[in-house]
């Protein structure tokens, strides 16, 4: 029985199909700079997620969309439309967030601002890294997600540049992060499924 069915003691065929279909979760790489390590972290997250077989996970690299800075383009750029279409096709997100000057990258902020309705009523988890595990960037991101009607989950894997990266460039995560990763994904799946019923 579907989510609504458990509440109202019955369910329609449409509600059952919506509940039973696999959720689509985008793992969003939050950096576009040369020499970035976010692709390594994103592949690690996807490797863990794919073993769960509870959703369809894909890497979404904002660098691929070549987004104009908000307000500087015509609004008709192909990448802008493709970005919105990609986000609209997803039920939830995992953000790979790096900390720059106590906040998120300009590229990620621009990508967040380059869509509106496509974010609404979806869930997100955050995986951050930096000298303090990227915690301050993640806190800034949470405020932005709230404005976009994205429900961010509590569990938050934080990766240290000092202990989880070799020479600050080769990602070698400690085993202890696996528990937090799976707990975060549990929450993202639960919330993404619940929010899908109101879209």
């Amino acid at each position: 029985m579907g989510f609504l069915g458990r509440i109202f003691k019955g369910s329609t065929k449409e509600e059952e199909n919506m509940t039973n279909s696999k959720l689509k979760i985008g793992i969003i790489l939050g950096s576009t700079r040369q020499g970035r390590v976010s692709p390594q972290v994103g592949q690690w997250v996807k490797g863990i997620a794919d073993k769960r077989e509870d959703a369809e996970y894909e890497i979404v690299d904002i660098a691929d969309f070549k987004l104009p800075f908000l307000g500087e383009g015509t609004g008709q750029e192909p990448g802008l439309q493709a970005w919105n279409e990609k986000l609209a096709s997803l039920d939830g997100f995992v953000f790979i967030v790096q900390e720059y000057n106590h906040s998120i990258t300009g590229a990620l902020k621009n990508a967040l601002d380059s869509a509106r309705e496509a974010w609404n009523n979806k869930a997100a988890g955050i995986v951050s890294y930096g000298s303090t595990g990227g915690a301050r960037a993640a806190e800034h991101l949470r405020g932005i997600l709230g404005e976009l009607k994205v429900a961010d989950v509590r569990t938050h894997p934080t990766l240290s540049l000092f202990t989880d990266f070799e020479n600050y460039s080769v990602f070698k995560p400690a085993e202890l992060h696996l528990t937090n990763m799976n707990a975060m994904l549990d929450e993202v799946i639960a919330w993404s499924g619940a929010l899908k019923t109101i879209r």
Side-chain angles (χ1 to χ4, degrees):
M1 185 176 290
F3 175 77
L4 295 178
R6 290 196 296 273
I7 296 173
F8 299 109
K9 307 300 182 193
S11 63
T12 67
K13 191 73 172 173
E14 181 181 349
E15 288 163 357
E16 288 179 0
N17 289 339
M18 185 166 44
T19 303
N20 293 334
S21 61
K22 273 199 172 182
L23 296 168
K24 295 179 180 178
I25 307 297
I27 301 168
I28 298 180
L29 306 185
S31 175
T32 60
R33 71 174 180 84
Q34 291 186 348
R36 62 191 176 145
V37 296
S38 57
Q40 296 178 58
V41 180
Q43 287 297 335
W44 172 72
V45 171
K46 188 173 188 301
I48 295 168
D50 284 345
K51 290 177 183 175
R52 298 164 54 94
E53 299 183 346
D54 55 359
E56 295 177 12
Y57 297 91
E58 66 174 296
I59 301 286
V60 180
D61 189 346
I62 59 177
D64 292 340
F65 295 86
K66 298 180 174 31
L67 297 170
F69 280 111
L70 186 67
E72 291 190 359
T74 64
Q76 303 301 314
E77 289 80 4
L80 193 58
Q81 181 178 345
W83 174 242
N84 277 265
E85 289 174 354
K86 173 52 66 178
L87 296 178
S89 74
L90 299 169
D91 300 302
F93 315 98
V94 175
F95 287 92
I96 310 300
V97 182
Q98 30 305 112
E99 183 172 318
Y100 289 90
N101 297 322
H102 290 207
S103 191
I104 62 174
T105 65
L108 178 55
K109 181 61 167 70
N110 187 59
L112 289 160
D113 292 342
S114 294
R116 191 72 189 181
E117 289 81 7
W119 295 115
N120 294 172
N121 297 317
K122 296 179 182 179
I126 300 171
V127 178
S128 65
Y129 61 89
S131 59
T132 58
R136 296 166 296 200
E139 287 306 305
H140 277 198
L141 178 58
R142 289 182 192 279
I144 299 165
L145 294 178
E147 176 62 19
L148 294 172
K149 299 182 183 179
V150 178
D152 55 287
V153 303
R154 180 181 182 277
T155 303
H156 168 205
T158 58
L159 308 166
S160 170
L161 282 176
F162 302 115
T163 58
D164 295 305
F165 294 83
E166 188 176 280
N167 298 321
Y168 308 107
S169 59
V170 179
F171 185 47
K172 294 188 174 181
E175 284 293 322
L176 60 88
H177 296 301
L178 189 59
T179 299
N180 266 352
M181 269 300 310
N182 277 302
M184 182 268 289
L185 291 170
D186 286 343
E187 293 171 12
V188 169
I189 293 301
W191 280 78
S192 294
L195 288 168
K196 188 172 184 178
T197 65
I198 66 170
R199 289 202 306 278

